[in-house]
Amino acid sequence: MARSYIILTLILVVFIIDAEKVSGQYEFFRLVTFWGPSYCRLYQCGRETPVPKFTLHGLWPDNYTRGLYKCGGTRYRPLKDQRSINARDSYWYDYFLPNPPSATGNWRIEQGFWAHEWRDHGTCSENVFSQQSYFNLAKRLMFMYDLKSALFNLNNPIPLPWPRVSDVLSVISKSTRARPELRCRYYDDPNIQMLVEVVLCFDVLGNQVINCTLPGSVFCGRRSSRIYVPESFQ
Ligand SMILES: *[C@@H]1O[C@H](CO)[C@@H](O)[C@H](O)[C@@H]1NC(C)=O
Ligand SMILES: *[C@@H]1O[C@H](CO)[C@@H](O)[C@H](O)[C@H]1NC(C)=O
């Protein structure tokens, strides 16, 4: 009797925790992108992209008042054929893999980054986007704007590799017509902030870009500060 009561309570608690996790309503998306050359200065990359570029870190559904994370939902379904693996790898890049992911490899390792992004973030919009739609959306949003051209645009030069935060905000906003979020990390010297990630925000259905709500420079210092934006891997 006591024992079945405990089990019932456990089931109930698990159910409530689960329901709580899934009930999170996301209100917008963050498309978080790495600038490869910065990322590989910060960490020991197993491989670099063939050309310096922005690659996807993740598409993060979120709520304005409450952070959403690990919302339960379906398990990651690994890609099985090499063509789709290569296609996703070209813009959603795991810098720590020593080699490109392969259809014959261990997906838990070689697709581990995608699985992790799905589990921690993708599940939080599964009430609207099935797993397949979520991955399609991530790809579509990733290709909606060309951040590299916006940043390294000869017609609109900014003083690289040491632009001000405001320069970077302004060239990106000009290209997307919305305020991005910039994320910097200290590099080498406690006084040097390096631009590592650019975040674009999208409405709940992923149809249009919207202003990110955090002040764009919150992770990079004041708008007038200079930040380091390396153009190449070396
Ligand atoms: C965002 O957050 C507020 C407050 O928690 C809720 O009222 C909204 O429904 C929305 N979804 C949540 C919390 O998951
Ligand atoms: C973003 O905010 C600016 C003002 O800071 C406003 O002019 C612009 O219309 C907003 N853009 C969007 C897409 O909401």
Side-chain angles (χ1 to χ4, degrees), residues 1-11:
M1 173 69 193
R3 193 164 146 198
S4 59
Y5 175 76
I6 289 172
I7 289 172
L8 190 68
T9 308
L10 273 177
I11 289 172

PDB file of all heavy atoms in Angstrom, residues 1-11:
ATOM      1  N   MET A   1       0.837  -1.204   0.000  1.00  0.00           N
ATOM      2  CA  MET A   1       0.000   0.000   0.000  1.00  0.00           C
ATOM      3  C   MET A   1       0.869   1.250   0.000  1.00  0.00           C
ATOM      4  O   MET A   1       0.819   2.080  -0.902  1.00  0.00           O
ATOM      5  CB  MET A   1      -0.908  -0.052   1.246  1.00  0.00           C
ATOM      6  CG  MET A   1      -1.720   1.212   1.462  1.00  0.00           C
ATOM      7  SD  MET A   1      -2.997   1.392   0.180  1.00  0.00           S
ATOM      8  CE  MET A   1      -3.494   3.058   0.451  1.00  0.00           C
ATOM      9  N   ALA A   2       1.737   1.328   1.047  1.00  0.00           N
ATOM     10  CA  ALA A   2       2.629   2.485   1.137  1.00  0.00           C
ATOM     11  C   ALA A   2       3.501   2.565  -0.104  1.00  0.00           C
ATOM     12  O   ALA A   2       3.756   3.639  -0.646  1.00  0.00           O
ATOM     13  CB  ALA A   2       3.508   2.372   2.379  1.00  0.00           C
ATOM     14  N   ARG A   3       3.919   1.373  -0.545  1.00  0.00           N
ATOM     15  CA  ARG A   3       4.829   1.336  -1.675  1.00  0.00           C
ATOM     16  C   ARG A   3       4.159   1.837  -2.970  1.00  0.00           C
ATOM     17  O   ARG A   3       4.728   2.636  -3.697  1.00  0.00           O
ATOM     18  CB  ARG A   3       5.303  -0.099  -1.853  1.00  0.00           C
ATOM     19  CG  ARG A   3       6.470  -0.141  -2.784  1.00  0.00           C
ATOM     20  CD  ARG A   3       7.179  -1.432  -2.688  1.00  0.00           C
ATOM     21  NE  ARG A   3       7.690  -1.761  -3.995  1.00  0.00           N
ATOM     22  CZ  ARG A   3       8.064  -2.943  -4.372  1.00  0.00           C
ATOM     23  NH1 ARG A   3       7.953  -3.948  -3.526  1.00  0.00           N
ATOM     24  NH2 ARG A   3       8.528  -3.146  -5.558  1.00  0.00           N
ATOM     25  N   SER A   4       2.927   1.383  -3.184  1.00  0.00           N
ATOM     26  CA  SER A   4       2.273   1.829  -4.418  1.00  0.00           C
ATOM     27  C   SER A   4       1.952   3.322  -4.328  1.00  0.00           C
ATOM     28  O   SER A   4       1.929   4.024  -5.327  1.00  0.00           O
ATOM     29  CB  SER A   4       1.007   1.015  -4.681  1.00  0.00           C
ATOM     30  OG  SER A   4       0.133   1.150  -3.606  1.00  0.00           O
ATOM     31  N   TYR A   5       1.766   3.787  -3.103  1.00  0.00           N
ATOM     32  CA  TYR A   5       1.509   5.214  -2.932  1.00  0.00           C
ATOM     33  C   TYR A   5       2.740   6.021  -3.349  1.00  0.00           C
ATOM     34  O   TYR A   5       2.662   7.012  -4.068  1.00  0.00           O
ATOM     35  CB  TYR A   5       1.153   5.514  -1.466  1.00  0.00           C
ATOM     36  CG  TYR A   5       0.988   6.983  -1.202  1.00  0.00           C
ATOM     37  CD1 TYR A   5      -0.171   7.654  -1.615  1.00  0.00           C
ATOM     38  CD2 TYR A   5       1.986   7.716  -0.568  1.00  0.00           C
ATOM     39  CE1 TYR A   5      -0.319   9.006  -1.404  1.00  0.00           C
ATOM     40  CE2 TYR A   5       1.834   9.068  -0.351  1.00  0.00           C
ATOM     41  CZ  TYR A   5       0.684   9.716  -0.761  1.00  0.00           C
ATOM     42  OH  TYR A   5       0.545  11.049  -0.546  1.00  0.00           O
ATOM     43  N   ILE A   6       3.908   5.524  -2.887  1.00  0.00           N
ATOM     44  CA  ILE A   6       5.156   6.199  -3.248  1.00  0.00           C
ATOM     45  C   ILE A   6       5.345   6.201  -4.759  1.00  0.00           C
ATOM     46  O   ILE A   6       5.673   7.221  -5.356  1.00  0.00           O
ATOM     47  CB  ILE A   6       6.365   5.514  -2.551  1.00  0.00           C
ATOM     48  CG1 ILE A   6       6.308   5.827  -1.058  1.00  0.00           C
ATOM     49  CG2 ILE A   6       7.679   5.988  -3.145  1.00  0.00           C
ATOM     50  CD1 ILE A   6       7.312   5.064  -0.235  1.00  0.00           C
ATOM     51  N   ILE A   7       5.086   5.042  -5.355  1.00  0.00           N
ATOM     52  CA  ILE A   7       5.264   4.959  -6.805  1.00  0.00           C
ATOM     53  C   ILE A   7       4.308   5.904  -7.524  1.00  0.00           C
ATOM     54  O   ILE A   7       4.695   6.635  -8.419  1.00  0.00           O
ATOM     55  CB  ILE A   7       5.056   3.498  -7.289  1.00  0.00           C
ATOM     56  CG1 ILE A   7       6.247   2.656  -6.808  1.00  0.00           C
ATOM     57  CG2 ILE A   7       4.949   3.428  -8.805  1.00  0.00           C
ATOM     58  CD1 ILE A   7       6.107   1.182  -7.044  1.00  0.00           C
ATOM     59  N   LEU A   8       3.076   5.916  -7.047  1.00  0.00           N
ATOM     60  CA  LEU A   8       2.094   6.799  -7.661  1.00  0.00           C
ATOM     61  C   LEU A   8       2.540   8.263  -7.538  1.00  0.00           C
ATOM     62  O   LEU A   8       2.467   9.037  -8.483  1.00  0.00           O
ATOM     63  CB  LEU A   8       0.731   6.598  -6.981  1.00  0.00           C
ATOM     64  CG  LEU A   8      -0.428   7.282  -7.704  1.00  0.00           C
ATOM     65  CD1 LEU A   8      -0.671   6.576  -9.038  1.00  0.00           C
ATOM     66  CD2 LEU A   8      -1.685   7.254  -6.847  1.00  0.00           C
ATOM     67  N   THR A   9       3.039   8.601  -6.344  1.00  0.00           N
ATOM     68  CA  THR A   9       3.511   9.967  -6.124  1.00  0.00           C
ATOM     69  C   THR A   9       4.653  10.287  -7.074  1.00  0.00           C
ATOM     70  O   THR A   9       4.703  11.355  -7.666  1.00  0.00           O
ATOM     71  CB  THR A   9       4.004  10.130  -4.668  1.00  0.00           C
ATOM     72  OG1 THR A   9       2.973   9.661  -3.826  1.00  0.00           O
ATOM     73  CG2 THR A   9       4.332  11.568  -4.360  1.00  0.00           C
ATOM     74  N   LEU A  10       5.572   9.323  -7.211  1.00  0.00           N
ATOM     75  CA  LEU A  10       6.701   9.526  -8.105  1.00  0.00           C
ATOM     76  C   LEU A  10       6.227   9.793  -9.527  1.00  0.00           C
ATOM     77  O   LEU A  10       6.674  10.724 -10.176  1.00  0.00           O
ATOM     78  CB  LEU A  10       7.606   8.286  -8.100  1.00  0.00           C
ATOM     79  CG  LEU A  10       8.669   8.274  -7.014  1.00  0.00           C
ATOM     80  CD1 LEU A  10       9.453   6.976  -7.048  1.00  0.00           C
ATOM     81  CD2 LEU A  10       9.584   9.475  -7.145  1.00  0.00           C
ATOM     82  N   ILE A  11       5.299   8.939  -9.959  1.00  0.00           N
ATOM     83  CA  ILE A  11       4.784   9.099 -11.325  1.00  0.00           C
ATOM     84  C   ILE A  11       4.154  10.482 -11.484  1.00  0.00           C
ATOM     85  O   ILE A  11       4.400  11.182 -12.452  1.00  0.00           O
ATOM     86  CB  ILE A  11       3.736   7.996 -11.643  1.00  0.00           C
ATOM     87  CG1 ILE A  11       4.458   6.656 -11.773  1.00  0.00           C
ATOM     88  CG2 ILE A  11       2.971   8.314 -12.918  1.00  0.00           C
ATOM     89  CD1 ILE A  11       3.534   5.462 -11.890  1.00  0.00           C
TER      90      ILE A  11
END
